[in-house]
């Protein structure tokens, strides 16, 4: 009944949420995960996140999903739209974090965004928060790489070496950590000339 009403009203996002609920995905989190797993377009994920936010405005996972999708859109956006999408992504990720400090994907996406816009100190802080929030270490190799890149851009070579060594110890077969000492040497070589 609700699904038919939502479809007739032309509200596709709400209809999708009701459809997922009828399939057994009862919580907002379950519905968001179902959307992600189905590999929908970013627009569909944004629509699902928007619907979830309307249902539960204080759900950090819904804001996290929306912010992560916006960062993905920001990467692909034409230059005239990129700044506004980036600001919106940053605000959405900040909202998720303000609701729950343990939203690891939000911290990770925020770190990537800061890194790409040249806010290296904030990128380093966000990646450290992501690592702390990632209780199951699902994204840790990527987070460590973001930390190293932020440290290199900040010319904190000792911190980059420490993170590199930690990554090599924990992920010895990861190519990024095998090559890391040489990358750091290359970055720091410019400072040797000065």
């Amino acid at each position: 009944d609700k699904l038919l009403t939502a479809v007739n009203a032309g509200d596709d996002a709400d209809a999708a949420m009701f459809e997922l609920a009828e399939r057994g995905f009862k919580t907002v989190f379950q519905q968001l995960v179902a959307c992600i797993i189905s590999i929908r377009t970013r627009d569909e994920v944004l629509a699902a996140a928007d619907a979830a936010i309307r249902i539960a405005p204080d759900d950090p996972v819904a804001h996290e999903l929306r912010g992560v999708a916006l960062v993905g859109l920001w990467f692909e956006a034409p230059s005239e739209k990129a700044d506004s999408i980036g600001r919106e992504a940053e605000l959405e990720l900040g909202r998720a974090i303000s609701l729950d400090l343990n939203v690891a994907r939000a911290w990770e996406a925020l770190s990537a965004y800061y890194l790409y816009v040249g806010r290296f100190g904030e990128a380093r802080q966000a990646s450290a928060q992501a690592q702390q929030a990632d209780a199951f270490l699902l994204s840790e190799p990527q987070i460590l790489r973001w930390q190293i890149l932020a440290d290199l851009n900040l010319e904190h070579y000792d911190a980059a070496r420490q993170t590199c060594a930690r990554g090599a110890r924990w992920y010895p077969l990861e190519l990024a950590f095998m090559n890391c000492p040489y990358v750091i040497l290359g970055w720091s070589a410019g400072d040797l000339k000065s």
Side-chain angles (χ1 to χ4, degrees):
D1 220 15
K2 289 180 181 179
L3 177 60
L4 186 58
T5 304
V7 171
N8 288 337
D11 195 346
D12 294 333
D14 286 338
M17 299 305 281
F18 285 121
E19 182 182 326
L20 287 169
E22 286 180 356
R23 291 184 190 173
F25 300 101
K26 299 294 184 196
T27 69
V28 172
F29 178 75
Q30 290 172 335
Q31 292 173 354
L32 291 173
V33 170
C35 289
I36 293 169
I37 291 173
S38 71
I39 314 295
R40 297 190 175 187
T41 67
R42 285 192 178 87
D43 288 338
E44 289 174 314
V45 172
L46 281 172
D50 288 341
I53 290 168
R54 281 194 304 277
I55 293 166
D58 292 332
D59 184 352
V61 176
H63 291 281
E64 177 184 46
L65 178 62
R66 188 170 196 287
V68 169
L70 284 167
V71 169
L73 282 174
W74 172 76
F75 276 114
E76 300 169 357
S79 59
E80 66 273 3
K81 292 183 180 179
D83 286 343
S84 64
I85 292 172
R87 281 190 299 275
E88 186 180 355
E90 183 179 8
L91 288 172
E92 199 64 52
L93 294 168
R95 174 83 169 126
I97 290 164
S98 73
L99 293 167
D100 181 359
L101 290 175
N102 293 314
V103 284
R105 288 177 310 200
W107 285 113
E108 184 180 352
L110 197 55
S111 176
Y113 173 72
Y114 286 154
L115 197 59
Y116 283 104
V117 296
R119 294 162 61 182
F120 305 118
E122 291 168 283
R124 182 63 169 91
Q125 285 180 304
S127 65
Q129 288 292 115
Q131 189 175 17
Q132 189 174 5
D134 190 9
F136 298 104
L137 305 177
L138 300 175
S139 299
E140 188 168 43
Q142 180 60 50
I143 293 167
L144 291 174
R145 287 192 293 273
W146 290 138
Q147 287 178 346
I148 292 165
L149 194 51
D151 284 335
L152 291 174
N153 278 284
L154 292 167
E155 298 180 2
H156 296 165
Y157 302 120
D158 287 337
R161 282 186 197 87
Q162 289 173 358
T163 305
C164 177
R166 188 171 52 225
R169 221 176 19 259
W170 295 342
Y171 305 99
L173 300 178
E174 189 83 32
L175 185 61
F177 301 121
M178 288 185 223
N179 293 332
C180 194
Y182 306 111
V183 172
I184 294 170
L185 181 63
W187 275 72
S188 62
D191 289 351
L192 297 175
K193 295 176 188 175
S194 306

